[in-house]
Amino acid sequence: MTLAVFFGCALVAFGPALALFLLTVVSDPLRVIILVAGAFFWLASLLLSSLTWFVASKASGGPQAEQALQAGLLAAGVALSVLLQEAFRFLYYKLLR
């Protein structure tokens, strides 16, 4: 029963993405390369934003720091993460052009 539940949940979770991949991307090898490169750029931006968050949280005193400072760091971290993702998206666009 657990195997059936696993495959059922996996197909519900990943079925639409798999169908879109099979119907649009897999027919052209260049699209597969572009898809993998886009995923790499997204992961690189996520890594850079998580590293800055880690450094900022350790520099502020860790979890025992005051609540207002942690809330400010969270807001700044989210803003920095969005800006980094958009910057990497622009770099990826420039690379493709």
Side-chain angles (χ1 to χ4, degrees):
M1 183 66 183
T2 57
L3 191 62
V5 170
F6 167 75
F7 282 114
C9 290
L11 288 176
V12 165
F14 299 115
L18 181 65
L20 284 172
F21 177 75
L22 291 175
L23 292 174
T24 60
V25 175
V26 91
S27 62
D28 187 14
L30 186 61
R31 288 183 185 172
V32 174
I33 294 170
I34 290 172
L35 180 78
V36 170
F40 171 76
F41 271 79
W42 179 76
L43 285 173
S45 71
L46 188 64
L47 175 68
L48 190 59
S49 64
S50 66
L51 282 175
T52 56
W53 168 257
F54 180 74
V55 169
S57 68
K58 292 298 180 187
S60 70
Q64 62 269 20
E66 61 187 53
Q67 195 73 14
L69 179 63
Q70 289 295 327
L73 278 176
L74 181 63
V78 168
L80 180 69
S81 178
V82 169
L83 288 174
L84 279 173
Q85 285 185 9
E86 292 302 319
F88 271 79
R89 184 178 298 171
F90 180 71
L91 288 173
Y92 182 59
Y93 170 76
K94 290 303 242 182
L95 178 74
L96 286 178
R97 285 284 140 209

